[in-house]
Amino acid sequence: MRSQPNSEKSLKNQSFLFSKTDSEHPEHLYMQVCHYYRDLILAHRLQPGSRMPSLRKCAQELQLSRTTIENAYLQLAADGYIVSKAQSGYYVTDIALQDHIEKKISAPEEPPCLYDLSSSGVDRESFRFDLWQRYLKSALRQNERLLSYGEPQGEADFRQTLSDYVRQRRNITCSPDDIVIGAGVQSLLQILCPLVKNRKNVSFPNPSFVQGSTIFSDFGFEIRYRNKDSDVIYVSPAHMTKWGDIMPVSRRLELIRHAASNNSLIIEDDFENEFVYLQKPTPSLFSLAGGRGVVYMGSFSRLLLPSIRISFMILPPELTERYHAKGAFYNQTASKAEQIALCQFIRDGHLSAQTRRLKRLYSAKLKELLTVVREAFGETSKIQIGAAGTSLALTLPWKDSGENLKKKARTRGLRLKILQEDTESVTILLSCSSLPASDFQPACELLKEVISVSPVVDHI
């Protein structure tokens, strides 16, 4: 059956838009029709080159006279919105596209970004694209396997490999049946929330994890911050602050005991646990709790590429049973081909090698950034750096708003992330992850010019 043009589909149920009280004044009706189509064209809902409904069709659908529609079309043509073609009808012009281009040209153009100190992306040199392409091509050659949908819980061999991986890397003992795969932590939380719907509130360390709090809020949870008496406690022990502070073992044990005594569920987002430079890796909450009362979240976006959307969730026994009762009703969101590729990638030892490579790369870059920042800002600054991560926090004297500092920096080609501000100072997060080390010095010199801080000998 032939599909209707978009312009004809837009006519359905639109007759109510045109006031019949104006029937004594046909000019009012034709102008209403004219404005209606003009707005559709300007909103790009009627694309350039698309055919307008015929006069007869339009009059029939809108329950108006053909003369009224013809007058409206003539007015649209006079204003340049449509054009008549002999023996064919009326067609939409590109006036809306021209208007968009003119507005874009007239708007002040923002200077290109020279140095992005706010990005949490990955270093171009951190990932072996050629190696990953080989594994992806190998996965795509498994024709028979790719003819079917992915398993709702995740590919069985991949979950087995993950259970071995977390036992070796994080001392977590779990069954492949306890693991759920998804395309990012957010998609996994959409599976988890119905499993804990008997709980009423959730606490986050701070308001920055909007993606997580939004999911919980959508499921009716009360959102709290830094409240350990909540039904659900969401923590990132290896990423307690943006600059890489790590939760010590004593505090982890205290949190586990408190959660157990209050029947609270802990969600452990083990984000950036691989990037621990200045101390030995700390045991996970899941392993310290013996797998009880803790949901473990892991992801590969920082180890591989942000575009490879594969995360996993390890459920405690009490939630595994609930998941299996309804897990088959959830579609798998992660790419089946990428799961197959990553499974073999891990088995061949490349993920462990990638982790070692990244630790060397980012620890060296963070050390270089710290040196450059100390030389550039000195005693007028306060520098905070943790035992992990790829960022440091720099506090500088600044009596204006943080937003104005960001705007001022953007005009000079510098992109910043503001962590905190008061009447006398501003704290900026400086990330070394995606910016080349050769750009650290010119970026800091430019920041110094923007904020007008004189360098002095540093002291932390």
Side-chain angles (χ1 to χ4, degrees):
M1 181 177 177
R2 185 181 174 186
S3 61
Q4 286 180 301
N6 288 337
S7 53
E8 291 192 14
K9 288 181 182 179
S10 68
L11 294 174
K12 297 297 184 183
N13 302 320
Q14 295 301 330
S15 59
F16 71 90
L17 291 175
F18 306 104
S19 172
K20 302 307 181 186
T21 59
D22 287 336
S23 58
E24 297 177 3
H25 305 281
E27 67 277 9
H28 292 180
L29 281 175
Y30 97 79
M31 284 306 297
Q32 285 185 55
V33 176
C34 178
H35 292 159
Y36 167 66
Y37 280 114
R38 179 200 62 189
D39 292 343
L40 288 179
I41 292 169
L42 291 177
H44 303 282
R45 292 176 62 188
L46 288 178
Q47 294 294 319
S50 60
R51 187 176 182 273
M52 295 288 288
S54 68
L55 296 177
R56 181 188 60 79
K57 179 75 172 176
C58 187
Q60 180 183 357
E61 293 288 351
L62 298 181
Q63 300 176 20
L64 298 173
S65 72
R66 179 167 174 163
T67 301
T68 299
I69 302 302
E70 187 172 15
N71 287 337
Y73 277 23
L74 289 172
Q75 184 62 52
L76 286 167
D79 293 339
Y81 292 102
I82 62 176
V83 62
S84 174
K85 294 184 180 180
Q87 306 300 318
S88 181
Y90 287 92
Y91 290 82
V92 179
T93 67
D94 63 352
I95 188 171
L97 184 61
Q98 293 174 2
D99 181 63
H100 175 72
I101 294 172
E102 288 174 5
K103 287 180 180 178
K104 191 173 180 180
I105 293 173
S106 62
E109 199 169 317
E110 188 174 293
C113 178
L114 301 176
Y115 309 110
D116 188 356
L117 289 166
S118 66
S119 173
S120 58
V122 299
D123 191 298
R124 177 63 180 79
E125 302 302 318
S126 69
F127 188 68
R128 288 190 58 187
F129 286 91
D130 58 335
L131 181 62
W132 177 249
Q133 285 167 0
R134 290 208 300 270
Y135 279 89
L136 202 53
K137 287 178 181 178
S138 175
L140 292 173
R141 284 195 291 268
Q142 300 188 30
N143 299 346
E144 291 299 320
R145 189 172 178 183
L146 293 177
L147 288 174
S148 61
Y149 289 103
E151 296 181 40
Q153 191 170 347
E155 298 303 294
D157 56 347
F158 182 41
R159 287 186 284 112
Q160 178 62 61
T161 298
L162 281 180
S163 68
D164 296 336
Y165 174 78
V166 295
R167 185 177 63 254
Q168 296 166 7
R169 302 290 301 181
R170 300 298 287 140
N171 195 30
I172 291 176
T173 302
C174 69
S175 162
D177 290 338
D178 300 326
I179 299 177
V180 182
I181 308 298
V185 170
Q186 197 173 35
S187 65
L188 291 173
L189 291 179
Q190 290 178 324
I191 296 174
L192 178 63
C193 282
L195 302 180
V196 296
K197 62 183 179 181
N198 57 314
R199 300 175 184 271
K200 304 301 180 185
N201 47 64
V202 57
S203 173
F204 289 89
N206 55 64
S208 65
F209 186 33
V210 179
Q211 296 90 340
S213 60
T214 298
I215 295 296
F216 277 97
S217 178
D218 287 346
F219 277 92
F221 284 77
E222 175 195 346
I223 307 301
R224 299 176 175 180
Y225 299 104
R226 301 185 66 83
N227 187 334
K228 65 180 182 179
D229 293 324
S230 301
D231 296 335
V232 180
I233 305 169
Y234 196 107
V235 291
S236 298
H239 195 73
M240 293 297 292
T241 61
K242 294 289 186 180
W243 54 89
D245 282 336
I246 296 175
M247 183 185 290
V249 174
S250 59
R251 192 172 162 193
R252 295 183 189 219
L253 292 171
E254 179 188 346
L255 176 60
I256 291 169
R257 287 193 294 267
H258 181 84
S261 62
N262 287 274
N263 193 31
S264 299
L265 176 71
I266 299 173
I267 300 177
E268 177 183 18
D269 187 341
D270 213 11
F271 182 69
E272 287 198 339
N273 79 81
E274 302 89 357
F275 303 122
V276 179
Y277 315 122
L278 305 180
Q279 66 180 56
K280 291 183 179 180
T282 309
S284 69
L285 289 167
F286 191 98
S287 62
L288 290 172
R292 294 278 177 178
V294 179
V295 175
Y296 181 92
M297 296 278 187
S299 178
F300 298 100
S301 59
R302 292 290 283 159
L303 281 177
L304 302 174
L305 294 172
S307 55
I308 300 175
R309 303 296 295 160
I310 299 181
S311 297
F312 63 97
M313 170 172 67
I314 304 176
L315 298 172
E318 61 270 24
L319 292 183
T320 299
E321 292 181 11
R322 294 185 200 173
Y323 170 78
H324 287 153
K326 58 170 59 180
F329 299 109
Y330 291 101
N331 289 326
Q332 179 53 247
T333 54
S335 162
K336 185 174 185 177
E338 288 187 345
Q339 289 183 63
I340 296 170
L342 184 53
C343 176
Q344 195 59 46
F345 188 86
I346 295 173
R347 285 175 173 175
D348 291 346
H350 293 301
L351 189 62
S352 296
Q354 172 75 357
T355 302
R356 292 191 296 271
R357 182 186 302 110
L358 290 183
K359 287 182 73 170
R360 289 194 300 269
L361 173 67
Y362 287 134
S363 62
K365 288 184 69 176
L366 192 58
K367 183 178 179 181
E368 175 67 17
L369 178 61
L370 179 61
T371 300
V372 171
V373 169
R374 282 174 169 168
E375 291 174 353
F377 297 99
E379 277 189 359
T380 55
S381 70
K382 174 186 175 184
I383 302 172
Q384 295 168 276
I385 186 168
T390 58
S391 303
L392 60 83
L394 174 65
T395 303
L396 296 169
W398 180 255
K399 295 187 178 181
D400 202 347
S401 71
E403 190 58 36
N404 282 343
L405 174 58
K406 287 172 63 176
K407 289 179 181 177
K408 186 178 179 183
R410 278 201 301 268
T411 63
R412 303 292 301 277
L414 188 63
R415 192 167 295 160
L416 304 175
K417 182 179 181 65
I418 306 298
L419 283 182
Q420 191 176 345
E421 57 184 294
D422 55 36
T423 56
E424 299 294 328
S425 65
V426 63
T427 300
I428 308 164
L429 186 72
L430 304 184
S431 171
C432 74
S433 58
S434 61
L435 196 67
S438 57
D439 286 345
F440 291 166
Q441 186 166 351
C444 285
E445 291 297 328
L446 186 55
L447 174 59
K448 187 169 64 176
E449 292 176 16
V450 169
I451 206 162
S452 301
V453 173
S454 301
V456 206
V457 180
D458 173 54
H459 122 100
I460 302 179

